[in-house]
């Protein structure tokens, strides 16, 4: 029993070290400490829309403190990128299920998939825990979502962005699902001859 307890504690500290360290972040900025603890409480993932006000109080110097701990400041999420490795996701799920004493039937998506189109998945929080953001019945891995956003910025010409095969390859989805995702993300689809362009239309 002592051996197993020591082994498990060591495994948690190694695999989830970046998450555990967020509890004791060293900073005089109360917003930095608040963000790090919120990340810890939410298993390393926060939706950016929910914490914009808090982020305004954290300058680049303070963000570096968090980046040094493995925190990514993305367009859609603030997250610990190390937590989405297959072995780390598996460990977090085992601990989470046992702590809650339920959700035993929930299983993570197949490792290696970046995009899912599944109407049967209805537990949004569980999917976010696994590293996937929900768009209706579409799910995209949050680190891939950030890479897609960077690719869109790089491809942008004036106000329109051309849909290129690299975007589909990054997500691992077909063109129709990609267009559906864009519409949910507030992009307008424009088709010219056989090419597809899209343009961001901010919500009022």
């Amino acid at each position: 029993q002592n051996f197993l307890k020591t082994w498990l504690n060591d495994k948690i500290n190694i695999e989830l070290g970046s998450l555990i360290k967020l509890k004791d972040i060293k900073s005089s900025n109360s917003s930095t400490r608040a963000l790090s603890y919120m990340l810890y409480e939410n298993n390393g993932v926060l939706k950016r829309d929910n914490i914009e006000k808090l982020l305004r109080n954290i300058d680049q110097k303070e963000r570096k403190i968090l980046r040094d701990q493995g925190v990514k400041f993305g367009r859609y999420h603030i997250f610990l990128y190390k937590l989405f490795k297959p072995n780390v996701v598996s460990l977090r799920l085992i601990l989470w299920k046992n702590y809650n004493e339920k959700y035993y039937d929930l299983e993570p998506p197949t490792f290696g998939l970046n995009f899912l189109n599944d109407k049967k998945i209805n537990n949004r929080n569980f999917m976010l825990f696994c590293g996937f953001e929900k768009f209706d019945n579409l799910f995209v891995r949050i680190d891939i979502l950030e890479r897609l956003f960077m690719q869109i910025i790089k491809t942008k010409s004036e106000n329109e962005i051309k849909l290129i095969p690299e975007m589909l390859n990054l997500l691992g989805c077909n063109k129709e699902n990609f267009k559906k995702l864009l519409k949910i993300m507030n992009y307008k689809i424009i088709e010219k001859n056989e090419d597809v362009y899209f343009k961001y239309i901010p919500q009022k």
Side-chain angles (χ1 to χ4, degrees), residues 38-125:
M38 286 171 69
L39 272 169
Y40 171 76
E41 287 283 288
N42 288 275
N43 292 292
V45 186
L46 290 170
K47 294 194 69 169
R48 186 162 187 146
D49 287 347
N50 299 334
I51 54 168
E52 280 293 354
K53 187 176 179 181
L54 186 66
L55 289 174
R56 287 197 287 269
N57 298 324
I58 304 175
D59 60 21
Q60 289 303 319
K61 182 180 177 182
E62 290 294 318
R63 292 187 186 199
K64 186 179 184 304
I65 296 172
L66 293 167
R67 286 193 181 101
D68 289 345
Q69 296 296 332
V71 176
K72 291 279 188 183
F73 289 82
R75 166 65 180 82
Y76 302 100
H77 300 86
I78 312 298
F79 61 100
L80 277 167
Y81 69 92
K82 293 179 181 178
L83 296 187
F84 302 121
K85 294 178 180 178
N87 56 319
V88 181
V89 171
S90 297
L91 176 60
R92 285 164 63 228
L93 285 177
I94 290 170
L95 296 172
W96 180 71
K97 289 178 180 181
N98 280 278
Y99 176 79
N100 289 289
E101 297 185 355
K102 55 182 178 178
Y103 306 125
Y104 297 117
D105 59 329
L106 294 178
E107 293 296 332
T110 302
F111 293 118
L113 291 178
N114 299 332
F115 182 92
L116 294 167
N117 182 2
D118 194 338
K119 294 179 180 178
K120 297 177 182 178
I121 302 174
N122 54 23
N123 194 319
R124 183 175 193 154
N125 291 331

Side-chain angles (χ1 to χ4, degrees), residues 106-187:
L106 294 178
E107 293 296 332
T110 302
F111 293 118
L113 291 178
N114 299 332
F115 182 92
L116 294 167
N117 182 2
D118 194 338
K119 294 179 180 178
K120 297 177 182 178
I121 302 174
N122 54 23
N123 194 319
R124 183 175 193 154
N125 291 331
F126 173 75
M127 291 300 289
L128 191 60
F129 188 90
C130 295
F132 284 78
E133 182 56 88
K134 186 178 190 298
F135 299 92
D136 286 351
N137 59 300
L138 305 178
F139 294 86
V140 184
R141 243 179 66 179
I142 62 174
D143 53 338
I144 298 299
L145 194 62
E146 299 303 338
R147 286 172 59 186
L148 174 64
F149 180 68
M150 297 308 296
Q151 199 170 60
I152 286 173
I153 292 174
K154 189 171 71 173
T155 311
K156 187 175 181 181
S157 176
E158 295 182 358
N159 290 326
E160 293 180 353
I161 305 108
K162 184 178 180 181
L163 195 161
I164 56 175
E166 287 80 2
M167 294 176 182
L168 301 179
N169 294 338
L170 179 63
L171 266 68
C173 69
N174 60 38
K175 187 183 288 187
E176 291 308 309
N177 277 334
F178 189 81
K179 284 158 65 176
K180 183 179 177 182
L181 175 67
L182 288 174
K183 288 177 181 176
I184 299 169
M185 293 169 64
N186 300 316
Y187 286 92

